[in-house]
């Protein structure tokens, strides 16, 4: 069975790798794999967050992905021979006022009820864990078993894994799905060539619905949600672990890498396909970061970037078979695509290899948008 996957972000590439492991033949089509949302992403892997905690199906998916992460990374690092910057040295949430503290307490109760290891910290303990924090910190939570991954290391590792399993990468843009009767049978490329497949998977992030050739309504509109994000740099890591700061009703996350990079993210803006880095966006992120880490202004501003998160009309992932035989979708992971990568790839590989729709995947079927 030959599977053609259009889109080589973390979602398309991980699906390709897992499908190859299941013995399928795979071709990935992408002019610039790993270049879009997956390149911008901070790669934060918190246990859950307040947005997910109230959505049962999504929460189950997140928890399943969290469980799968260590084995996913071990397998990927072994086959690719590359490190992916996976860290499980804790995620620290800190508050700077009483409202923030109350919000963290709600999160703690919910996470504890799910069996997630979580420790309540007083201000002194927060500062002992992260000495660079502002002394105005009012308290925090530490999830000691969670952490982050570096998506900029993960996509090259996935490409190497695909190559090691004999998968093919075509650095071209797909313009339309080729239909044979009522069935998807391949994709036509911008250069004029075409590639045939038994199953076609569209994983092109917020460009998925722009791929032509399909009856209307089969692919829901996947809107772009703009995220501006900064990368600061210091000689030594400025923080010990991923830290999220809640203050005045908003949050900023700070993800350190072992090479001294500190990722500061991210804005969440509904501005279509606009990818402008704005002065306002940079100020907003730096202001929030400085409230949590007063010394952060001394760090080098190495990069100010933008990514477009792929979001479905109901803001939930879209994964599985469509109404068109042979056509599957996997997209719409919005702000948690890296978190959801292992479970998404496993569910998609199960579907492709065995036509198996796992219970976990059912609520996210693309056909929920039909009609
Ligand atoms: P993308 O990475 O956007 O990949 C889509 C791919 O499709 C691209 O490579 C593109 O070249 C290709 N493509 C498009 N059109 C075509 C075509 N016609 N033919 C062929 N190929 C095509 N998630 C987390 O879990 N943790 C985080 O901390 C986090 N932080 C984030 C911070 C920011 C600023 C942003 C923007 C996102 C963040 N996310 C985070 C979300 C996460 O990055 C996304 O959910 C995830 O990267 C989506 O991956 P994807 O493969 O679906 O899409």
């Amino acid at each position: 069975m030959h599977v053609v996957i259009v889109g080589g972000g973390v979602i398309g590439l991980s699906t390709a790798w897992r499908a190859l492991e299941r013995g399928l033949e795979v071709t990935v089509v992408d002019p610039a794999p790993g270049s879009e949302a997956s390149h911008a992403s901070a790669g934060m892997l918190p246990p859950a967050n307040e947005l997910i905690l109230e959505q049962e199906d999504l929460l189950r998916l997140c928890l399943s992905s969290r469980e799968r992460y260590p084995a996913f990374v071990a397998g990927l690092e072994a086959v690719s021979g590359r490190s992916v910057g996976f860290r499980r040295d804790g995620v620290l949430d800190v508050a700077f006022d009483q409202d923030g503290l109350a919000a963290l307490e709600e999160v703690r109760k919910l996470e504890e009820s799910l069996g997630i290891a979580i420790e309540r910290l007083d201000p002194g303990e927060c500062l002992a864990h992260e000495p660079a924090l502002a002394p105005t910190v009012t308290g925090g939570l530490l999830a000691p078993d969670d952490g982050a991954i570096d998506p900029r290391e993960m996509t090259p590792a996935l490409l190497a894994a695909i190559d090691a399993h004999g998968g093919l990468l075509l650095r071209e843009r797909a313009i339309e799905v080729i239909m044979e009767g009522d069935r998807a049978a391949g994709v036509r490329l911008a250069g004029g060539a075409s590639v045939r497949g038994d199953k076609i998977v569209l994983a092109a992030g917020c460009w998925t619905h722009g791929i032509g050739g399909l009856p209307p309504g089969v692919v829901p509109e996947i809107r772009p949600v703009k995220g501006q994000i900064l990368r600061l740099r210091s000689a030594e890591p400025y923080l010990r672990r991923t830290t999220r700061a809640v203050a005045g009703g908003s949050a900023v996350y700070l993800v350190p890498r072992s090479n001294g990079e500190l990722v500061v993210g991210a804005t969440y803006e509904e501005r279509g396909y606009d990818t402008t880095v704005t002065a306002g966006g940079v100020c907003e992120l730096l202001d929030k970061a400085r409230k949590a880490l007063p010394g952060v202004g001394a760090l080098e501003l190495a990069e100010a970037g933008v990514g477009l998160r792929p979001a479905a009309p109901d803001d939930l992932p879209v994964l599985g078979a469509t109404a068109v035989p042979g056509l599957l979708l996997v997209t719409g992971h919005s702000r948690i695509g890296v978190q959801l990568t292992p479970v998404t790839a496993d569910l998609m590989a199960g579907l492709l290899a065995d036509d198996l729709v796992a219970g976990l995947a059912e609520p996210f079927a693309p056909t929920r948008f039909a009609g």
Side-chain angles (χ1 to χ4, degrees):
M1 156 136 48
H2 181 208
V3 179
V4 179
I5 300 181
V6 177
V10 288
I11 297 298
L13 294 178
S14 58
T15 298
W17 169 46
R18 288 305 215 201
L20 283 158
E21 281 193 326
R22 302 288 294 264
L24 306 183
E25 197 187 315
V26 177
T27 300
V28 177
V29 177
D30 192 321
S35 62
E36 297 290 349
S38 304
H39 186 71
S41 181
M44 186 177 50
L45 304 174
N49 70 37
E50 59 291 352
L51 298 170
I52 296 164
L53 283 168
E54 283 159 17
Q55 302 187 58
E56 208 177 306
D57 294 327
L58 189 56
L59 180 60
R60 280 202 305 147
L61 204 62
C62 283
L63 293 177
S64 177
S65 211
R66 178 175 180 261
E67 246 176 65
R68 292 168 201 246
Y69 239 112
F72 176 90
V73 167
L76 182 55
E77 290 189 336
V79 69
S80 67
R82 302 177 61 112
S83 158
V84 295
F86 182 53
R87 302 173 60 156
R88 295 185 91 201
D89 46 8
V91 172
L92 177 65
D93 283 325
V94 284
F96 289 88
D97 55 27
Q98 288 310 312
D99 287 351
L101 212 51
L104 288 188
E105 184 53 16
E106 289 307 306
V107 171
R108 188 192 64 79
K109 283 188 208 149
L110 279 161
E111 290 187 344
E112 218 166 57
S113 73
L114 295 165
I116 294 170
I118 191 96
E119 297 164 19
R120 197 195 279 132
L121 304 182
D122 65 25
E125 290 168 327
C126 291
L127 288 163
H129 278 290
E130 290 297 351
L133 282 172
T136 47
V137 62
T138 50
L141 291 182
L142 178 66
D145 301 335
D146 292 270
I149 194 164
D150 187 347
R152 292 184 179 182
E153 300 291 342
M154 193 172 168
T155 46
L158 286 167
L159 286 167
I162 290 167
D163 189 48
H165 282 286
L168 198 67
L169 171 67
L170 296 178
R171 289 184 184 265
E172 283 217 51
R173 194 165 63 84
I175 51 170
E176 63 177 15
V177 173
I178 298 167
M179 300 288 288
E180 252 173 33
D182 67 349
R183 203 184 160 78
V187 293
R188 200 171 322 280
L189 309 178
S194 58
V195 46
R196 318 285 293 183
D198 304 296
K199 290 193 176 163
I200 313 300
V201 180
L202 302 185
C206 61
W207 297 274
T208 301
H209 61 288
I211 294 163
L214 292 165
V218 170
V219 182
E221 186 179 338
I222 304 297
R223 71 180 200 286
V225 180
K226 177 177 177 181
Q228 300 191 51
I229 188 160
L230 309 178
R231 280 165 166 89
L232 312 182
R233 194 171 295 141
S234 54
E236 294 296 321
Y238 195 70
L239 281 180
R240 294 174 184 166
R241 63 183 59 71
T242 296
T243 300
R244 294 185 294 186
V246 187
S250 66
V252 64
Y253 52 77
L254 304 143
V255 183
R257 310 267 190 241
S258 54
N259 65 2
E261 186 176 272
L262 182 68
V263 184
V264 180
T267 66
Y268 189 85
E269 306 168 65
E270 302 277 0
R271 293 198 192 280
Y273 289 89
D274 171 36
T275 53
T276 316
V277 175
T278 64
V282 174
C283 281
E284 178 191 324
L285 293 171
L286 285 179
D287 278 351
K288 286 181 181 174
R290 271 175 100 155
K291 281 195 185 113
L293 301 176
V296 86
L299 270 55
E300 177 192 350
L301 175 55
E303 185 185 313
V306 172
L308 300 175
R309 306 173 182 91
D314 58 6
D315 286 319
L316 294 173
V318 181
L319 57 103
T322 67
V324 170
L327 182 77
L328 296 91
L329 304 182
V330 59
T331 183
H333 292 73
S334 190
R335 53 171 110 201
I336 52 171
V338 178
Q339 253 178 279
L340 291 178
T341 292
V343 72
T344 300
D346 287 351
L347 293 174
M348 289 302 294
L351 262 167
L352 290 165
D354 306 327
D355 284 323
L356 183 81
V357 184
L360 267 178
E362 265 170 32
F364 307 105
T367 45
R368 72 184 185 273
F369 299 106

